[in-house]
Amino acid sequence: MDTSTRDLQAEVNKLQHELQALKVQHHSDDGEQITISEYLLTRLEQLGVTSVFGVPGDFNMRECPLPRVDYIEDHPRIDWIGNCNELNAAYAADGYARVKEHSIGVVVTTFGVGELSAMNGIAGAFSEMVPVLHIVGVPSTVQLKNKPMLHHTLGDGRFDAYTKAAEQITVSQATLMNKTHAAAEIDRILTDCITRARPVYLTIPTDMVAEKIPAKRLQVPLSRTPPPNDPDVEKYVLDRIAELVEEASKDIVILVDACAIRHDVRQEINDLLTKTRFPVYSAPMGKTAVSEAHDRYGGIYIGSISDPSIKDKVENANLILSIGALKSDFNTGMFTYSVPTSRTIELHSTHTQIRHALFPGIGMKQLLPKLTSHLRQFHEGASQLPVPHYKLDVPKEQDDKISHAFFWPRVGQFFQKKDVVVAETGTSSFGILDVPLPEQSVFLAQILYGSIGWSIGITLGAALAARDKQLGRTILFVGDGSFQLTVQELSTMIHSKVTPIIFVLNNKGYNIERHLHGMDRKYNDIVNWKWTSLLTTLGDTDGTLSNSYTVRDKAGLDKLLNDAEFAKADKIQLVEVILDKYDTPRGLQVAADIGEKLAKQALGQV
């Protein structure tokens, strides 16, 4: 099945759903009518959404008057989470969707000014394949047709300008211009959101929010099923992979990456590991796709940035089975993967590649269970392959100053089962990669898109989703420079009664930028804040809902991390960690060195 055939099959699936919905609606006895808003919220509830993020604005609040946001606030099982700005709201929806798998994130903004503010967050979700619904309140259908000079417009009659922008960063869009097609349009874009793991865009004119439509089609669940693989091609692919595994003397390594998480094949991978016992490693964006406590897990592979023992095991394997690869620069150690195509099999959501042969339309969701059956015969031989479990020891340093070499393995000892760990772009995301996380932990980092300040909003959404899923603590690591971009969302965290632990790495500026370029440039410096006053300033005015700390040395850090009350995380807590201005994690230093070398090569200087 080639790509065009697979797309056609996806359309057939949608039409089958629509036909089923129409049959249910046609045979309705009671003819119940509900508003378009109620229909949408019911669909979101069916998808497991319990929190909706956003900022109120006139086009999403009134139709003289229109209670658009009121529908959300009044919903008995969905909470309205009001954010400080639309960018943070989009980040929060991203974090919510990453943690609450099989659900989606939802952000609501107003027309123009609100949606444009959110678009950077939506673009990041698109880049990293996160299912987010962006709902935009827009002018009435009459105004959209007549194009008067309204506020929030560009003043030139181009009412579609924002939709055109949204088309670049969403996989599906809909504007509800009439009630007849409203339910089908909502179902269409939500199906695209959950099956393609990307953001979608829904605009609702002010005069459509309270329009009544039939409710019966809600009885037909949205389909999550991907298009089927062509059985003949799939059989060939399975047989060919088994042949290559045999030829490799069963010496194969499984490498998992981000798309294994985004396209919901964690369970299939775990089943593959259980029944075959092949060694498994992870790329940075795939961290925690497989439990890092698994006895066949060997660590993080990042090309030349990898620990030498991991690099040797992966690159010298006879065959690599890569699942859900996303080969961006930082995710591959600045493109330093040293595994030739001739020794690689890649499984993706929409295709499979065996060495140099591409098989469009053979998706991993349906392929993996059958592949497990084909490869389980190699269980005995694979079990004999050694998998040294990577461990990052706390170094014995002579001084009491907190270094990155000390900090990351030390906080690694603090983590617990089911913790949700968030790392900001830069220093934190590099520092924590080598730290093995406990069983059932969830790791979040925006390694591909890399939007500075992303992690604050993400932490809000992640903490709310973790509470829904009864996971453990939410723990954020963020640099002082990044924190200053989106710090306002601390107030929303306090208001929402989530209790993350936030480690602020205070190294007086943009550490990653210093090491990539401009070590002593003023543009990489920032104004220092009184970090331990933020929580009381931004919402906990009487100091009863939070605690703040500053740690300046190893002894202080040890004392805090060993404190049982601190570890309980029953309050929101902020820890300012004083680090040397020029100190940096090992991985970031190696990446910077590689980047500098590549830059010189491009300029013909080496």
Side-chain angles (χ1 to χ4, degrees):
M1 183 184 292
D2 60 23
T3 302
S4 60
T5 305
R6 188 179 178 89
D7 290 344
L8 181 59
Q9 181 62 54
E11 287 302 312
V12 170
N13 290 350
K14 290 178 187 177
L15 290 172
Q16 288 175 337
H17 174 270
E18 183 63 16
L19 180 60
Q20 188 179 1
L22 288 173
K23 286 180 178 179
V24 169
Q25 191 169 310
H26 178 72
H27 291 97
S28 171
D29 292 325
D30 56 20
E32 180 189 1
Q33 299 275 309
I34 60 174
T35 66
I36 289 175
S37 293
E38 290 166 337
Y39 184 93
L40 173 59
L41 289 171
T42 302
R43 278 300 192 207
L44 296 181
E45 184 181 0
Q46 290 174 350
L47 292 175
V49 174
T50 57
S51 295
V52 171
F53 305 91
V55 178
D58 54 355
F59 284 119
N60 65 29
M61 291 185 68
R62 63 176 173 82
E63 185 212 0
C64 301
L66 168 64
R68 185 189 308 271
V69 176
D70 290 10
Y71 277 110
I72 303 172
E73 185 171 316
D74 293 343
H75 195 281
R77 289 169 296 278
I78 296 179
D79 292 328
W80 167 257
I81 309 296
N83 298 90
C84 296
N85 61 54
E86 293 88 354
L87 173 62
N88 289 348
Y91 287 156
D94 181 334
Y96 184 89
R98 289 180 191 239
V99 173
K100 199 165 186 179
E101 294 173 33
H102 307 119
S103 186
I104 65 172
V106 182
V107 57
V108 178
T109 67
T110 195
F111 177 61
V113 292
E115 59 181 307
L116 288 179
S117 292
M119 278 189 181
N120 184 52
I122 300 298
F126 181 91
S127 173
E128 303 221 344
M129 289 172 293
V130 182
V132 172
L133 168 64
H134 185 186
I135 303 171
V136 182
V138 300
S140 70
T141 55
V142 173
Q143 291 170 327
L144 290 176
K145 292 173 182 176
N146 295 335
K147 301 179 177 56
M149 190 176 290
L150 293 178
H151 64 290
H152 295 345
T153 71
L154 299 174
D156 60 2
R158 289 185 296 141
F159 277 43
D160 62 347
Y162 310 130
T163 300
K164 287 182 177 179
E167 288 172 355
Q168 310 306 310
I169 54 172
T170 58
V171 295
S172 194
Q173 308 83 33
T175 298
L176 305 185
M177 294 297 287
N178 67 74
K179 67 178 184 178
T180 303
H181 303 295
E185 285 290 271
I186 289 169
D187 288 358
R188 176 180 65 82
I189 66 166
L190 288 178
T191 300
D192 286 340
C193 188
I194 61 179
T195 57
R196 299 173 68 182
R198 300 267 193 177
V200 295
Y201 175 81
L202 175 65
T203 61
I204 308 180
T206 56
D207 56 340
M208 296 299 295
V209 175
E211 285 287 337
K212 294 290 187 74
I213 59 176
K216 271 293 181 179
R217 68 180 287 139
L218 289 169
Q219 295 177 10
V220 181
L222 299 177
S223 174
R224 295 179 177 272
T225 306
N229 295 339
D230 182 289
D232 293 332
V233 178
E234 185 179 66
K235 183 180 184 304
Y236 175 82
V237 165
L238 291 167
D239 291 342
R240 185 65 182 128
I241 293 175
E243 288 174 8
L244 290 176
V245 173
E246 183 72 53
E247 291 173 13
S249 302
K250 301 144 188 100
D251 179 16
I252 82 167
V253 160
I254 297 172
L255 181 62
V256 297
D257 207 341
C259 295
I261 301 172
R262 304 293 187 263
H263 292 282
D264 189 29
V265 294
R266 283 182 195 256
Q267 186 55 52
E268 288 83 353
I269 292 172
N270 283 327
D271 193 43
L272 176 67
L273 296 178
T274 300
K275 294 176 179 175
T276 66
R277 303 290 292 164
F278 287 119
V280 61
Y281 295 81
S282 173
M285 289 179 70
K287 187 174 174 68
T288 67
V290 170
S291 170
E292 298 190 332
H294 196 289
D295 66 333
R296 302 301 286 168
Y297 175 77
I300 299 287
Y301 174 64
I302 334 174
S304 295
I305 300 176
S306 311
D307 180 89
S309 64
I310 295 173
K311 186 175 187 293
D312 177 71
K313 287 291 183 183
V314 173
E315 295 181 358
N316 288 320
N318 290 338
L319 188 66
I320 302 293
L321 178 60
S322 170
I323 303 177
L326 208 166
K327 296 180 180 179
S328 70
D329 48 2
F330 284 151
N331 202 38
T332 62
M334 309 304 287
F335 302 120
T336 59
Y337 267 23
S338 186
V339 182
T341 303
S342 60
R343 289 194 283 121
T344 303
I345 297 166
E346 292 191 11
L347 307 186
H348 295 275
S349 62
T350 59
H351 67 278
T352 297
Q353 183 168 336
I354 302 176
R355 293 179 167 176
H356 296 281
L358 183 67
F359 299 90
I362 303 300
M364 61 184 173
K365 181 69 174 177
Q366 297 170 359
L367 183 69
L368 274 168
K370 298 168 188 174
L371 184 62
T372 297
S373 296
H374 270 62
L375 299 186
R376 63 190 307 167
Q377 61 179 303
F378 301 112
H379 177 280
E380 185 175 350
S383 298
Q384 306 306 313
L385 296 171
V387 187
H389 192 70
Y390 182 76
K391 183 181 179 182
L392 189 64
D393 293 318
V394 180
K396 302 292 185 183
E397 296 181 334
Q398 297 303 310
D399 59 43
D400 204 28
K401 183 169 61 175
I402 300 173
S403 65
H404 281 282
F406 173 86
F407 178 76
W408 295 108
R410 180 62 188 88
V411 295
Q413 298 174 338
F414 174 72
F415 295 138
Q416 299 174 3
K417 180 179 178 180
K418 292 188 175 184
D419 278 346
V420 177
V421 180
V422 184
E424 172 62 44
T425 294
T427 307
S428 301
S429 58
F430 275 95
I432 203 167
L433 285 179
D434 288 336
V435 179
L437 299 181
E439 185 180 359
Q440 298 180 51
S441 297
V442 178
F443 174 67
L444 306 181
Q446 199 187 52
I447 292 171
L448 172 55
Y449 193 63
S451 182
I452 183 173
W454 165 89
S455 67
I456 312 304
I458 284 290
T459 297
L460 168 65
L464 288 165
R467 187 163 67 189
D468 284 354
K469 294 186 65 176
Q470 298 183 322
L471 296 174
R473 306 167 301 180
T474 300
I475 304 172
L476 165 64
F477 297 92
V478 58
D480 51 349
S482 299
F483 205 3
Q484 291 192 359
L485 273 76
T486 49
V487 68
Q488 312 97 313
E489 227 51 45
L490 286 179
S491 64
T492 313
M493 295 180 198
I494 294 169
H495 186 253
S496 301
K497 297 182 172 56
V498 293
T499 58
I501 299 174
I502 300 169
F503 289 92
V504 183
L505 310 184
N506 186 348
N507 47 25
K508 301 180 177 63
Y510 302 121
N511 183 283
I512 185 171
E513 302 297 345
R514 284 199 186 103
H515 287 269
L516 293 176
H517 183 75
M519 185 68 75
D520 293 301
R521 290 288 186 176
K522 290 188 292 185
Y523 52 66
N524 286 328
D525 297 333
I526 63 169
V527 175
N528 194 38
W529 287 3
K530 191 173 182 180
W531 300 99
T532 53
S533 296
L534 286 178
L535 291 173
T536 51
T537 299
L538 294 176
D540 182 22
T541 53
D542 61 4
T544 59
L545 303 175
S546 66
N547 287 320
S548 295
Y549 315 85
T550 297
V551 291
R552 302 178 179 278
D553 49 40
K554 292 183 175 72
L557 180 63
D558 273 333
K559 181 180 179 181
L560 184 63
L561 296 180
N562 290 331
D563 187 322
E565 284 299 311
F566 173 74
K568 279 167 51 179
D570 56 0
K571 294 182 176 183
I572 184 170
Q573 299 178 100
L574 185 149
V575 183
E576 178 189 15
V577 182
I578 305 299
L579 294 160
D580 183 84
K581 180 177 180 178
Y582 299 107
D583 188 33
T584 202
R586 178 200 66 83
L588 178 53
Q589 184 61 63
V590 175
D593 293 343
I594 294 171
E596 182 180 10
K597 182 178 179 180
L598 292 174
K600 288 181 178 179
Q601 287 176 345
L603 295 172
Q605 296 178 1
V606 292

